[in-house]
Each structure stands twice: as C-alpha cells, then as structure tokens.
Amino acid sequence: MPDRYNPQVIDHLVRPRNVGELEGASGTGESGDASCGDVARFTVRIAENRVEGVRYKVYGCAACIAAGSALSELVSDASLLDAARVSGVDLEEALGGPLPAGKEHALTLVLDALHKAIEDHWNREAGEMLVEGYGGLRAGTGGKKTVVVATSGGVDSAVTALLMKEAGYEVACVTFRLHDGERGSRSCCSPDTVLFARDTAHRMGLPHFTLNLKELFDRRVMEDFVGSYAEGRTPNPCVSCNAHVKFHAASFLADKLGFERVATGHYARVVEEPEGATMARPVDEAKDQTYVLWPVPRELLARTIFPLGEHRKEEVRRIAEDRGLAVAYTPESQDICFIPDGDYRGFVRKSVAAEPGEIVDREGRALGRHKGVVDFTVGQRRGIGVAAPTPLYVTEVRPKTGQVVVGKKADLETREVRVGGLNWFLPPERAGSVQIRYNGRPVPCEMEHAEGGEVVAHLGAPVFGVAPGQSAVFYDGDKVVGGGVVRRDT
Ligand SMILES: Nc1ncnc2c1ncn2[C@@H]1O[C@H](COP(=O)(O)OP(=O)(O)OP(=O)(O)O)[C@@H](O)[C@H]1O
C-alpha cells in the first residue's frame, strides 16, 4: 500500500471534475456523517436509463474528494447499468491504484453516495409503488435473457445471481431496504447489509441497485403481523412479504430496466403445466419454501426463475466457495427478519396495548387470568400459567371478549379447515393434499366450495392446533395447486 497519493489522485484534487449540485436532478444521495468525518453528496439526472448528468460535493479528506471526482467521471454519460456496475476496484484503478493506508473508506463513501442518488431516482419513479405495491403485473416473454435478481446479502441469492450469469443472462441485482432491524441502515462505514450485497454483486461484475421499501413493508407486513396477534390470528410475515413486496418490487425494476425475468434465492421450482406456470417443491426437501410462496400472483410467477430449486443447500455453499464468494460462510437467516432477537411477543407488545383477560375452559369456566391475548396462539402449551393435572393447550383465542380458551390436546384436533384469500395456480379440483404448517406434512384432503369464493378442506387425517391466519397450501403431488389463509370458522 503506498504512503502517498498517486499522480491520478493529485490530478483529481487539482482539477476536480463535476463538482457542485445538478439543476433538475432526478436523484440525490448522501453518505457519511460527522462521526465518520467525511460526507459525500451526489446529484444525478437519469433519463432513459442513462446517466445524463452527475455532480458531487465532498466535505472531507483529499482521498474522498479525488474519489468523488473519479467516480463522477466514470459514470458521466454511462448507461445506468454500467454506472451501477462500477466497483471499488474500478474506482481504485481510475485513481491509479490503491489509496494510502487508512484512506480506502473513500471508495465506499463515494460509491454509497452515488448509489443512494440512484436509489432516490427509483424512489421518485416508483411513487405509489413504494406505498401500495406494484400494480403493473405481467408475465415475462422469456425472449430476452435478462433477469433482475433480488439479493439480500446472503449466500442463496448471491449464488442465484451467479447461476443466472453463468446461464448466459444479463443480470442486474437489487437489494430492498425493508426495515430498520436489519444489519445496517447505519452509517456508510458500518458492516451494512446493503453495502455487503452491493460489494458481492460488484465482485461478480454485476450492476447493483437498492430500493427503499420500508413504508410498503411496514404497511403490508409489519402492521399485519402486529394486528394479527391483537386479533387472535397467527400471521406469517414471509407470506405477506411474498404477496405484496419482494416480487412486485423486483418486477417494477425489471420493467423499468426493460428486463424480462426476475429471480430470487427461494428454494422452489417453476414448472409449466397445460394451465400455465405453477410452482413445485424443490430438490432439497429440507429447504422447501413453497409453503410461503403461494401468494405470488400468477402473472409474476410466469416471469420468475428460482434457480436454487434444482440444487441442495450444500451444493449452493460449495458453488459459492468454489467461486470465491465471501458470502459462502454467511449464517442461515433467522425466522422473522425484522425481529433479530426472535422475541416476537415482545415486538408485538411494543405496538399494541395488551388488555388483561380470562383464561377459560371449553365450558366457559374461568381457570385464571392472563395479561393480554397477544401472548397466546392456538396450539401453545408453554406459558399458560394455569396448573392442571394433564398438560393444557390453547385451543382458541377470542380477542373480542379477551378470553383465552384452553383444553386437552385432543381438543386441538381439526378435521376440516375453511380457507379464504385464495390464489390458485392450477384448478382447485387438482388439490389432493393440504399443508397447514411451514414444517408440517401435507395431509390428504377433499375440497368443498364455500360462500365468498372460499373453500372448506375436509382432511383425511387429523391436524392438531390449526390457527386462523396460518397459510393452507394445496398440493397435487409436488406441485402447488394454490393456497390461502385459514379462516376462523368452518
Ligand atoms: N432485503 C432483501 N433484498 C432483496 N432480496 C431479498 C431480501 N430479502 C430476501 N430477499 C430475496 O428473497 C429470497 C429468500 O429470502 P429468505 O429471507 O428466505 O433468505 P435466505 O434463504 O436466507 O436467502 P439469502 O441466503 O439470499 O439471504 C432471497 O434469497 C432473496 O432472493
């Protein structure tokens, strides 16, 4: 590492390019803060996926000023995809080689400011999509080999992007800012998920974009999660995210870039049936995510690729290792991404005022008191707080009266389930079995149509502890016929 600046750095210092603020910018981004000591600000004007104009300002060290200047030069008049592909290594090259020790952060700082400006551009383009979700759903034609890959900074999505690239696709990566609980959203200098995902994309030579979906995620996923507990339902936030957020946002970006397909690192397969695209269980049964993917709209599924559906998790890690991806060793993600400590009751309690109420048996006899229905779900055994000779289970939560009903395990037995909010990939008549838990086994079922477009599934074997709000997913062998949400009463 050199102990002084290269001539290229000095040149950018003496004659900084593109300094200032752009009039009529379509995006503005800032990175760094007073605690880092350096702040970089980029303004960009993007039209028809080209960077028509770029200006930057830096308050900070000489390395940051020179890096800002060099970056602005690299992306000026470039296609948006090329601009989003510029990596720290490219920038270093433009500056004549490595910066002196302790100055490398300049590269990350200015790149982050540029990417935030592009993110701001998308935010302005997206408008309502960032709050309501994307409405322009359509299938890809499958003609052009172009794909937007949703990358989260983990091994699965990184390998997805790599496999798509190796299959001859033109790939653009996108990372969504979903909530503040994720690693990152802090300063540019912290180990941030977005920075990591970007760096991973750049190391594969791929462009990377960021979309801020916090408001959409808050409305469609977190509020639903909290509200469900308050109403005595058992929500699945991954299902709501797949229903409204990830796939829609990836499709929005694909449409803006003129790309045909979208891909994620989910373990599932898309298969063609005479009726159209449907989903099937993946090769790696232990990683099967079809249970949480049922609400993906059919139009979107038709443009979706799940390359990991053909691989086992061990292979995915091996591919990452073989290709030298740093993500090869990232840990498995936790259950609920926005509750990193796993204390979801605590999370819900912060948002809803819990009212105390009665614990009763099936006949309505009071057995004790509780501090709020939000603390209970159907099937729960622990933490009921009532002594009994045989184990007690929560068999029903009644939010209106504040009652929690408890009983024996046998009382949890369910033989029929009413399901609404349905999304079908195949004709409902093809459903031969239904799965009602993420890690549950499918049980044979017969379907009866009910009022309001809902169905009642008559189960061929009893299922214990079915809670309203859970997903019920119908299968024909390993194919997903459709899915919906368990209603309170049959
Ligand atoms: N914040 C995010 N931004 C972009 N894509 C995301 C994000 N979170 C999840 N995804 C996409 O959804 C897929 C499944 O998400 P899940 O939370 O199950 O991650 P995962 O199996 O741990 O995958 P990974 O190893 O890629 O993090 C990811 O592989 C990725 O394609």
Side-chain angles (χ1 to χ4, degrees):
M1 201 158 279
D3 56 4
R4 60 182 60 195
Y5 289 126
N6 294 318
Q8 287 89 332
V9 175
I10 308 286
D11 182 50
H12 279 286
L13 274 177
V14 178
R15 290 189 309 117
R17 328 309 191 242
N18 304 308
V19 173
E21 290 262 332
L22 200 65
E23 290 270 313
S26 66
T28 301
E30 207 168 277
S31 192
D33 54 39
S35 63
C36 314
D38 299 305
V39 180
R41 183 178 162 84
F42 269 75
T43 45
V44 290
R45 189 169 54 248
I46 295 164
E48 296 183 9
N49 293 329
R50 281 205 90 70
V51 181
E52 283 192 339
V54 56
R55 293 282 185 279
Y56 87 102
K57 276 183 175 173
V58 160
Y59 305 93
C61 68
C64 293
I65 295 170
S69 170
L71 180 59
S72 74
E73 199 168 56
L74 282 175
V75 302
S76 182
D77 205 30
S79 78
L80 187 52
L81 288 170
D82 284 342
R85 203 191 317 265
V86 172
S87 67
V89 175
D90 299 328
L91 194 47
E92 201 174 69
E93 259 174 38
L95 291 167
L99 292 168
K103 296 293 178 190
E104 310 87 339
H105 73 283
L107 308 175
T108 311
L109 180 88
V110 296
L111 270 174
D112 196 47
L114 171 72
H115 275 264
K116 283 187 175 145
I118 300 174
E119 178 179 333
D120 185 37
H121 162 79
W122 290 131
N123 282 8
R124 294 187 203 185
E125 290 266 304
E128 285 289 286
M129 194 285 285
L130 297 176
V131 186
E132 299 296 336
Y134 186 47
L137 309 187
R138 63 180 190 88
T141 64
K144 284 194 275 170
K145 289 190 96 177
T146 46
V147 63
V148 166
V149 180
T151 55
S152 58
V155 61
D156 290 333
S157 46
V159 170
T160 299
L162 192 76
L163 291 173
M164 295 278 66
K165 184 183 171 192
E166 292 180 355
Y169 279 82
E170 181 175 3
V171 177
C173 299
V174 61
T175 301
F176 311 127
R177 295 187 202 276
L178 299 175
H179 49 79
D180 291 322
E182 60 208 338
R183 292 167 273 156
S185 353
R186 284 171 279 157
S187 90
C188 66
C189 310
S190 63
D192 181 304
T193 308
V194 170
L195 294 186
F196 190 64
R198 183 183 304 149
D199 189 56
T200 305
H202 283 165
R203 283 173 192 273
M204 294 188 276
L206 301 176
H208 181 267
F209 297 102
T210 311
L211 283 180
N212 188 338
L213 305 177
K214 285 185 190 174
E215 193 169 346
L216 179 63
F217 191 81
D218 193 44
R219 281 172 55 130
R220 296 292 198 147
V221 181
M222 292 185 18
E223 279 182 23
D224 174 68
F225 179 78
V226 169
S228 291
Y229 272 105
E231 288 165 18
R233 288 182 281 122
T234 301
N236 188 324
C238 295
V239 168
S240 349
C241 186
N242 291 333
H244 305 290
V245 183
K246 273 181 199 162
F247 289 88
H248 295 67
S251 285
F252 158 80
L253 188 64
D255 288 346
K256 287 286 167 192
L257 294 173
F259 276 32
E260 292 301 319
R261 315 297 292 265
V262 300
T264 67
H266 286 102
Y267 287 80
R269 289 182 300 138
V270 181
V271 289
E272 275 302 320
E273 289 285 284
E275 295 86 353
T278 188
M279 211 182 292
R281 293 192 190 272
V283 166
D284 191 340
E285 287 166 17
K287 294 292 295 177
D288 186 351
Q289 288 178 301
T290 52
Y291 179 76
V292 290
L293 287 166
W294 68 262
V296 176
R298 275 190 79 168
E299 306 92 306
L300 288 191
L301 188 67
R303 78 188 301 187
T304 300
I305 310 174
F306 297 126
L308 301 195
E310 307 295 339
H311 295 270
R312 307 195 74 80
K313 179 76 188 211
E314 312 85 79
E315 281 167 34
V316 170
R317 282 207 191 274
R318 206 172 320 121
I319 293 171
E321 256 175 43
D322 287 351
R323 312 296 201 285
L325 295 182
V327 286
Y329 309 103
T330 50
E332 293 292 289
S333 45
Q334 61 270 341
D335 270 359
I336 298 180
C337 66
F338 55 91
I339 310 180
D341 64 2
D343 177 14
Y344 52 95
R345 301 277 182 211
F347 182 88
V348 174
R349 274 187 165 275
K350 274 187 226 148
S351 309
V352 271
E355 299 283 335
E358 272 186 332
I359 298 176
V360 298
D361 64 14
R362 276 175 85 178
E363 283 70 42
R365 283 184 297 252
L367 303 179
R369 304 275 306 160
H370 65 78
K371 290 187 181 148
V373 290
V374 295
D375 291 337
F376 300 90
T377 25
V378 172
Q380 179 179 333
R381 203 182 106 183
R382 300 227 169 93
I384 296 177
V386 173
T390 53
L392 286 179
Y393 295 81
V394 174
T395 58
E396 198 188 336
V397 177
R398 296 176 179 156
K400 283 196 187 123
T401 58
Q403 284 179 324
V404 172
V405 186
V406 296
K408 299 189 291 294
K409 183 161 187 210
D411 298 337
L412 284 170
E413 191 178 302
T414 307
R415 287 277 183 171
E416 56 182 32
V417 183
R418 187 174 179 122
V419 186
L422 290 148
N423 183 40
W424 297 110
F425 302 118
L426 294 173
E429 299 66 46
R430 285 190 55 180
S433 62
V434 62
Q435 184 175 329
I436 310 178
R437 285 255 163 80
Y438 188 68
N439 291 315
R441 288 174 161 277
V443 293
C445 72
E446 277 188 22
M447 200 99 79
E448 183 197 331
H449 289 280
E451 277 170 22
E454 302 193 337
V455 296
V456 176
H458 298 277
L459 310 179
V463 173
F464 289 85
V466 177
Q470 270 173 231
S471 288
V473 185
F474 298 97
Y475 293 85
D476 173 8
D478 69 348
K479 301 203 179 75
V480 180
V481 177
V485 177
V486 173
R487 300 297 192 216
R488 195 167 291 281
D489 300 305
T490 46

